[in-house]
Amino acid sequence: MPHKVILQHSKANLRKRLMLGTVSLSFILISTLCFIGHGILLEMEQAFEKDTFHRHAKHVLARIANDTPLAAMSMPPDVVLVSMGNTQVYPQQKPLPTLLSLATTVNSDSFFALNKRRYYVKKYTTQQSPKAVVIVWQAYELSGISSRIINQLTLAGFILFGLAVWVAMIMSAFIAKRFEKANQTLEQLALQDPLTHLLNRHALLASKHFNLAHGALFFFDLDRFRDINDALGHEMGDRMLFAFAQRLKTLAGPTAYTYRYRSDEFVIWQPDILQEDVLSHAFRLLYDCRDPLQIGNSAFEIGCSIGVACLPDHGQRPDTLVRNAENAMHRAKKLRLGVQMYSDRLALNSTIKVTLRSQLRSALQNQEFILYYQPKAEIGSGRLIGVEAIVRWQHPDEGLLVPALFIDLIEQSGIVHAFTRYTVEQAVAQIQSWSSQGHFVPVSVNLSAYNLMDSEFIPFIKHCLETTNIDPALLEFELTESATMVDIEVSKRVLTAFREMGIKTSIDDFGTGMSSFAYLRELDINTVKLDQSFIRDLEPNSRTAKIVESIVSLCRNLDIDVIAEGVETKAQAQLLTKLDCHFAQGYLYGKPTPAKNITTLMQSSFSNKRRLSR
């Protein structure tokens, strides 16, 4: 499944995160400030007390130096103990052994606690006395003052905290608004095609408009848009895409959703349409799209192919509907149907082709491709005049596969040249085998445009003729119209080389292209194979009959043989004879069959040894 663009509108979440972040940061800062402030205050209190006690200590030390008795009336009020060495000298009437013991053991210039009271001790040395003087003061409990100060700081902090929350709310609203605006811009960039201003592929795959009971998805692909780009330039191509997109949006109507899927591919999702109305709606879109499109001073007719997938029969998810509609579009484009509804058979073919694509090279190496031969006959007598070599794939798992399943894959792969050489070698070997049995029947092999562009193909054919020593007139190459018109000069050069070697050429599916008669003028060919679409609709005195008669007459005047393809009934054969067409190929004369069956057929024919004069 293709990836989706999921846009989350998190305006409320952003505000919550901003608020929480700001409040948390403010709380941490205020708590840190209170903690550090409390510590600083306690240190300042202790420093203030020490300074006061040291000033009082000078008075005590002076009295000791003058041998003045230490009386309570003359002592600083905070002094609770004075000792010299281990002897208590103040107060004399109240021994304090516990306090004296602690005072002489704790570190000098420090605070200590005793009986839930704080004391400060300091040792002094004087020149008059060899013994150290220890003075102990009762320290004041200043933590209450600190607590009051801390409380004031905390109150101020919470006021600042409230201001921070208020500021956070304002900032979050401002940032969220900017975020929402930026998000809308990003959403537009992510989900809208910049050229056509339609919703793009990401918007289609992320759409929530598919949760319905029924609907239809129309997949459009412009025909020959690359030719427009090559001939008129990409700027004109972009203008044409924009104009076509606007037309498509108008044709879709207000209840439908129009998307540019990629390049020259568009999608319409029609949610309010019943399945029985889908095909008629698709053809109406097809015909409306073909109306001339005005771009500047020029008008262009733009054709398209449409694939259709319906909900819920062909899928319920956007990606499934798109994939199935695209498969149907490719079939419509390939067969020039205009519109194609998706079916399970298309899905099966698509799945098989994906598997076969990876097995082409090994199949060629294992010689899994075999040749079947379909007879060409003279209508009046039924005489065999030649056979067409048609490739089959004897797949080890899928069985015998027809060319429609793998020929396109081969032409798109890197083995097309090796594959053609293989089929030519097999056909030449069969000609050699039949010739050795006295059966001289021409065998035609199909070529593609890629073979005409292969500079090594002509030398390869010459080598085959030299090594097998077959009559070159027994080898014929059939080319489709699209193959011959890839590069008309290359086609003329290759066909001339074939004629010089004695090899005949024919144009297959004649009449299906727009330049069919140009081939008759430009190319030196031997045979025209009239496309089976003419034969299928062939009726006496019909327009088709008149067209066939004209083609046959023209080819006769140019000394070109005509073979009608797809002849299945005697009525068709009889009408062709009346129209002066005397050669045919189709199920009436035989289906593609292995070479041994053709050998049996030739052995039962009295005229199979006659060579074709041309």
Side-chain angles (χ1 to χ4, degrees):
M1 174 181 175
H3 74 279
K4 294 183 179 180
V5 174
I6 303 176
L7 297 178
Q8 297 180 342
H9 299 275
S10 53
K11 178 180 178 180
N13 291 334
L14 176 64
R15 288 187 175 181
K16 291 179 181 179
R17 290 195 296 269
L18 286 173
M19 288 287 295
L20 181 61
T22 306
V23 170
S24 300
L25 180 60
S26 301
F27 180 77
I28 293 173
L29 291 176
I30 292 173
S31 300
T32 303
L33 177 61
C34 291
F35 178 77
I36 295 174
H38 185 265
I40 293 174
L41 282 174
L42 290 179
E43 290 180 1
M44 291 176 63
E45 291 170 2
Q46 292 180 358
F48 177 74
E49 286 182 310
K50 288 181 180 181
D51 186 61
T52 302
F53 296 152
H54 290 329
R55 289 199 303 270
H56 292 172
K58 294 179 181 179
H59 175 69
V60 176
L61 294 175
R63 297 195 63 180
I64 292 175
N66 295 332
D67 293 327
T68 304
L70 302 177
M73 296 297 293
S74 59
M75 289 296 289
D78 300 326
V79 176
V80 294
L81 175 67
V82 178
S83 67
M84 296 183 65
N86 294 325
T87 303
Q88 178 178 326
V89 296
Y90 175 83
Q92 297 179 355
Q93 295 81 9
K94 186 179 179 182
L96 302 170
T98 304
L99 187 61
L100 177 62
S101 175
L102 284 173
T104 55
T105 56
V106 300
N107 295 330
S108 177
D109 195 12
S110 63
F111 290 85
F112 67 92
L114 179 64
N115 298 329
K116 298 182 180 181
R117 292 185 178 182
R118 293 175 65 247
Y119 297 93
Y120 174 72
V121 61
K122 176 68 177 177
K123 294 180 181 180
Y124 298 93
T125 58
T126 62
Q127 295 179 354
Q128 291 79 7
S129 175
K131 296 180 180 179
V133 178
V134 178
I135 305 177
V136 179
W137 287 270
Q138 182 177 347
Y140 293 103
E141 187 62 45
L142 299 179
S143 59
I145 300 175
S146 300
S147 298
R148 288 195 295 272
I149 296 175
I150 293 299
N151 290 337
Q152 295 295 325
L153 288 174
T154 303
L155 178 61
F158 278 109
I159 293 174
L160 291 175
F161 178 76
L163 291 174
V165 172
W166 181 72
V167 171
M169 293 178 63
I170 295 178
M171 290 181 61
S172 65
F174 175 75
I175 295 175
K177 186 175 181 181
R178 294 292 299 271
F179 174 82
E180 184 179 11
K181 184 177 180 180
N183 196 32
Q184 290 175 351
T185 303
L186 289 175
E187 180 180 2
Q188 184 178 6
L189 292 174
L191 301 181
Q192 187 180 76
D193 177 61
L195 174 62
T196 63
H197 305 310
L198 297 179
L199 295 175
N200 63 14
R201 174 173 177 267
H202 301 304
L204 171 63
L205 298 179
S207 175
K208 298 180 180 179
H209 301 301
F210 291 83
N211 299 326
L212 301 171
H214 55 79
L217 188 142
F218 303 87
F219 197 103
F220 294 74
D221 182 83
L222 300 186
D223 296 334
R224 301 184 182 88
F225 180 73
R226 180 177 296 180
D227 296 341
I228 296 174
N229 269 339
D230 294 341
L232 304 179
H234 289 280
E235 182 179 356
M236 177 59 74
D238 290 345
R239 294 177 62 187
M240 191 169 295
L241 286 175
F242 177 80
F244 183 80
Q246 300 311 306
R247 165 178 286 181
L248 208 59
K249 188 174 182 180
T250 302
L251 294 175
T255 60
Y257 300 90
T258 308
Y259 305 85
R260 184 190 182 193
Y261 192 70
R262 59 173 171 247
S263 185
D264 60 336
E265 296 174 344
F266 297 84
V267 167
I268 290 180
W269 165 242
Q270 189 76 47
D272 57 348
I273 188 171
L274 299 177
Q275 186 164 349
E276 54 266 27
D277 300 328
V278 168
L279 275 180
S280 60
H281 185 69
F283 277 106
R284 186 162 55 250
L285 290 173
L286 178 70
Y287 299 143
D288 289 343
C289 286
R290 290 176 177 174
D291 289 341
L293 194 64
Q294 193 69 32
I295 301 177
N297 297 325
S298 303
F300 298 89
E301 292 185 7
I302 302 178
C304 62
S305 300
I306 304 176
V308 186
C310 297
L311 184 149
D313 294 347
H314 304 147
Q316 295 182 330
R317 296 167 57 92
D319 57 321
T320 305
L321 287 170
V322 169
R323 182 175 65 251
N324 292 339
E326 186 175 8
N327 287 337
M329 180 276 296
H330 286 307
R331 177 174 172 80
K333 198 175 190 71
K334 180 180 179 180
L335 301 181
R336 302 176 184 177
L337 301 175
V339 173
Q340 173 67 55
M341 177 80 77
Y342 174 79
S343 67
D344 293 336
R345 181 173 55 82
L346 292 179
L348 177 62
N349 289 345
S350 178
T351 303
I352 292 177
K353 284 188 176 183
V354 172
T355 304
L356 297 182
R357 190 186 301 272
S358 62
Q359 301 173 346
L360 292 174
R361 195 173 298 275
S362 61
L364 185 61
Q365 294 174 349
N366 298 333
Q367 297 186 348
E368 295 175 8
F369 297 107
I370 59 177
L371 292 186
Y372 273 39
Y373 299 89
Q374 185 174 23
K376 302 175 185 178
E378 187 178 49
I379 295 178
S381 63
R383 179 176 61 89
L384 185 70
I385 64 168
V387 293
E388 177 183 357
I390 301 176
V391 184
R392 295 286 191 268
W393 184 352
Q394 189 63 58
H395 196 279
D397 299 322
E398 302 294 339
L400 193 65
L401 301 180
V402 297
L405 287 175
F406 59 85
I407 287 297
D408 288 345
L409 302 180
I410 289 176
E411 291 186 346
Q412 297 166 10
S413 69
I415 67 167
V416 59
H417 297 316
F419 174 81
T420 303
R421 284 168 169 75
Y422 172 83
T423 55
V424 170
E425 288 175 345
Q426 297 298 311
V428 168
Q430 189 60 57
I431 293 173
Q432 188 179 31
S433 174
W434 282 334
S435 298
S436 65
Q437 300 174 39
H439 306 308
F440 303 99
V441 176
V443 177
S444 61
V445 179
N446 290 280
L447 299 183
S448 71
Y450 300 96
N451 304 129
L452 299 184
M453 304 299 292
D454 181 10
S455 60
E456 299 298 321
F457 187 68
I458 297 300
F460 164 75
I461 297 300
K462 291 180 178 179
H463 177 73
C464 285
L465 296 177
E466 292 172 357
T467 54
T468 59
N469 198 31
I470 66 169
D471 185 351
L474 298 179
L475 179 62
E476 182 179 358
F477 289 129
E478 293 188 10
L479 302 101
T480 60
E481 294 185 16
S482 59
T484 55
M485 295 305 292
V486 168
D487 189 325
I488 191 65
E489 296 301 325
V490 172
S491 299
K492 291 169 66 175
R493 183 171 65 252
V494 173
L495 266 60
T496 299
F498 288 158
R499 179 172 286 276
E500 290 175 351
M501 287 186 284
I503 298 174
K504 298 178 181 180
T505 55
S506 62
I507 298 297
D508 197 10
D509 302 331
F510 185 82
T512 57
M514 298 180 63
S515 305
S516 300
F517 292 101
Y519 310 140
L520 304 181
R521 180 187 64 196
E522 299 290 342
L523 302 178
D524 188 8
I525 58 176
N526 302 94
T527 306
V528 161
K529 298 186 71 175
L530 195 60
D531 187 71
Q532 59 183 343
S533 61
F534 291 98
I535 311 306
R536 188 185 307 117
D537 301 328
L538 192 61
E539 296 289 343
N541 302 319
S542 64
R543 293 174 63 88
T544 302
K546 294 179 180 179
I547 293 174
V548 171
E549 184 178 18
S550 300
I551 293 175
V552 172
S553 176
L554 176 63
C555 290
R556 289 282 183 235
N557 292 332
L558 295 175
D559 198 22
I560 297 175
D561 289 332
V562 178
I563 297 178
E565 294 183 289
V567 179
E568 298 182 357
T569 66
K570 291 183 178 180
Q572 292 173 339
Q574 292 172 356
L575 182 55
L576 286 169
T577 302
K578 292 180 181 180
L579 297 177
D580 202 23
C581 178
H582 303 289
F583 302 108
Q585 180 181 356
Y587 285 0
L588 180 62
Y589 302 100
K591 297 181 179 180
T593 184
K596 62 180 181 179
N597 295 341
I598 299 295
T599 303
T600 302
L601 178 64
M602 289 188 295
Q603 290 173 347
S604 63
S605 174
F606 69 92
S607 59
N608 58 357
K609 294 184 179 181
R610 294 184 58 188
R611 292 175 180 255
L612 193 65
S613 59
R614 288 177 49 79

